[in-house]
Amino acid sequence: MDLLEGNLELKEIQKLEGHTDRVWSVAWNPATGAAGIPAMFASCSGDKTVRIWQQTPSARCSASFECKAVLEETHNRTVRSCAWSPSGKLLATASFDATTAIWEHIGDDFECVSTLEGHENEVKSVSWNASGSLLATCSRDKSVWIWEVQPGNEFECVAVLQGHTQDVKMVKWHPFMDVLFSCSYDNTVKVWAEDGDTDDWHCVQTLGEPNNGHTSTVWALSFNSTGDKMVTCSDDLTLKIWETDSRIPQETDGYMPWRHLSTLTGYHDRTIFSVHWSSEGVIASGAADDAIRLFIENKDGLVDGPSYKMLLKKEKAHDMDVNSVQWSPKEQRLLASASDDGTIKIWEMVPSS
Amino acid sequence: MTLGLINANPIVHAKKERIARTEDLHGDDAVDPLDIYDFVRDIRDPEHPYSLEQLSVLSEESITVDEKLGRILITFTPTIQHCSMATIIGLCLRVKLMNYFPSHFKVDIKVAPGSHANEESVNKQLNDKERVAAALENPNLRQLVDECIYSNEL
């Protein structure tokens, strides 16, 4: 079905309660949701716990998710974000208690197998690289740490990256390359890569105001499925689309810089906390006005180069701020959202009735 | 925390006479700025045994409500330009008001324009809810905030 034809709506499939404080983040387990394996995701909260939710195998996508596990008594402050390893066997959880916990998923159980310490204060985000060999974390201490995954669930810190001048809100690895992106309260996005010769990690690019960057805190970023575009969201009430040259570097160790492509302005009037690009090309945003918005590329060809338009706005998606929106990796039209209201909602993007 | 007081000699004003407010309900969702002011005027300053009203940090004009947009803006005036208690005062306001409104109202807290040397920086911190949440998980900060909020109830 062509997304640009017909009207679409975001239909609420389920509302999940259980957390006793705001839910900050949700993350789908990438190894679930297909080949007979029921979809699973994790949520993390100000109640200091992480909850694991799984779809009951009975019905199809309108089936119910239920809470399978509560990971508690590990973090003693807010759990701010979580990320699954590509294999789905490990879950990393980042907390305001300055630690990152690593949980191993065996059968129906989750066991904390490692705790990464080192940040001076709240850890805000955690991300695994495409192969699952590296983990990145970031903190209000302004630094980004890179950890190498070793046998026996051991993690060794291989880099402490300084450069941001303020709180780092989120880190995310590129979907294919071992290039790390971070976004910050200092209004910039930084790109970090390993120097071919020295194996040192360093900042290869900073996307700030001089590059048409954001003018306030950048809260999140997300890549498209082909990895040649990314979208960032900010307290400055805009979404920005960036692109890089999609030609794969051949002999050159040279880094392919990112450049500003488009700014989506006038659509949001409160801080945008989360943004996520689906495999089908739909960008979802979650904001402090309790709404979820969807955007797609406008292929009318009336302007030079790609432009984007809003597909729909779901007002009052939650009773309070929407902190996180995440498309399911396997069911392209299924979206999970998390809110200050303590709930998680599952949505399906369907044709309007 | 410095040992010496930031502002050792604040100007203290008399408490404004309170007019007895009747239970005048404008409507279920109507939010009266004066009701909000009543709720926050007695918050105690972090450094001095006086309320924010007495120190003119807050006044009736501090509160503006936009019913249509569902927003509340609270503007406060620190006693001196380099007041390092500004973020604490802002936190006190947030905590006091946390469960007060119908939950769809959004609250923005700022220092009065021109009233603080680091106006932009203070405003940015006060309105970053992640920073606010983390600050309130700090037991020392939380205790100070609670003391300021509940002092008149002791």
Side-chain angles (χ1 to χ4, degrees), chain A residues 53 214 339:
Chain A
W53 309 83
H214 289 290
S339 166

Side-chain angles (χ1 to χ4, degrees), chain B residues 53-72:
Chain B
E53 174 181 44
Q54 288 175 307
L55 296 174
S56 289
V57 173
L58 285 177
S59 72
E60 282 170 11
E61 290 70 42
S62 300
I63 323 278
T64 41
V65 176
D66 184 328
E67 295 259 7
K68 203 172 125 214
L69 283 180
R71 279 188 212 184
I72 290 150

Side-chain angles (χ1 to χ4, degrees), chain B residues 93-107:
Chain B
L93 287 165
R94 277 228 182 263
V95 174
K96 185 82 199 208
L97 294 167
M98 239 159 17
N99 299 312
Y100 183 76
F101 304 110
S103 58
H104 66 269
F105 269 94
K106 305 295 178 183
V107 181

Side-chain angles (χ1 to χ4, degrees), chain A residues 25-224:
Chain A
S25 216
V26 287
W28 291 93
N29 182 328
T32 66
I37 304 171
M40 176 193 282
F41 68 89
S43 62
C44 49
S45 166
D47 67 12
K48 307 172 195 167
T49 74
V50 176
R51 280 178 177 250
I52 309 295
W53 309 83
Q54 192 177 48
Q55 200 168 37
T56 54
S58 49
R60 215 192 59 90
C61 101
S62 49
S64 15
F65 280 87
E66 47 181 27
C67 182
K68 297 297 277 184
V70 180
L71 312 183
E72 52 194 346
E73 267 142 47
T74 292
H75 288 300
N76 46 38
R77 293 211 178 162
T78 286
V79 189
R80 176 63 179 88
S81 78
C82 54
W84 297 89
S85 65
S87 67
K89 294 203 184 96
L90 296 175
L91 176 69
T93 58
S95 170
F96 283 2
D97 67 10
T99 72
T100 303
I102 309 292
W103 306 78
E104 195 170 10
H105 176 208
I106 307 171
D108 276 340
D109 290 320
F110 287 82
E111 187 193 324
C112 180
V113 296
S114 191
T115 301
L116 311 183
E117 294 175 342
H119 279 296
E120 286 169 31
N121 48 48
E122 302 93 59
V123 189
K124 305 276 172 109
S125 174
V126 61
S127 176
W128 299 83
N129 71 343
S131 63
S133 63
L134 297 171
L135 189 68
T137 57
C138 66
S139 161
R140 178 168 63 88
D141 68 11
K142 307 176 189 139
S143 69
V144 172
W145 287 45
I146 298 184
W147 310 77
E148 216 168 62
V149 185
Q150 296 181 335
N153 292 324
E154 292 289 315
F155 290 78
E156 187 192 327
C157 175
V158 296
V160 174
L161 307 172
Q162 311 282 6
H164 279 297
T165 55
Q166 293 274 6
D167 186 4
V168 189
K169 298 296 199 186
M170 186 197 198
V171 279
K172 190 96 182 133
W173 288 95
H174 187 270
F176 323 125
M177 304 185 287
D178 281 348
V179 178
L180 182 66
F181 293 72
S182 59
C183 49
S184 166
Y185 185 100
D186 70 11
N187 308 350
T188 71
V189 174
K190 280 185 181 287
V191 189
W192 312 85
E194 210 173 0
D195 187 303
D197 299 321
T198 62
D199 285 348
D200 271 338
W201 287 86
H202 61 287
C203 179
V204 293
Q205 198 180 7
T206 299
L207 303 173
E209 274 185 75
N211 324 81
N212 267 311
H214 289 290
T215 53
S216 190
T217 301
V218 189
W219 280 93
L221 65 91
S222 176
F223 295 94
N224 67 351

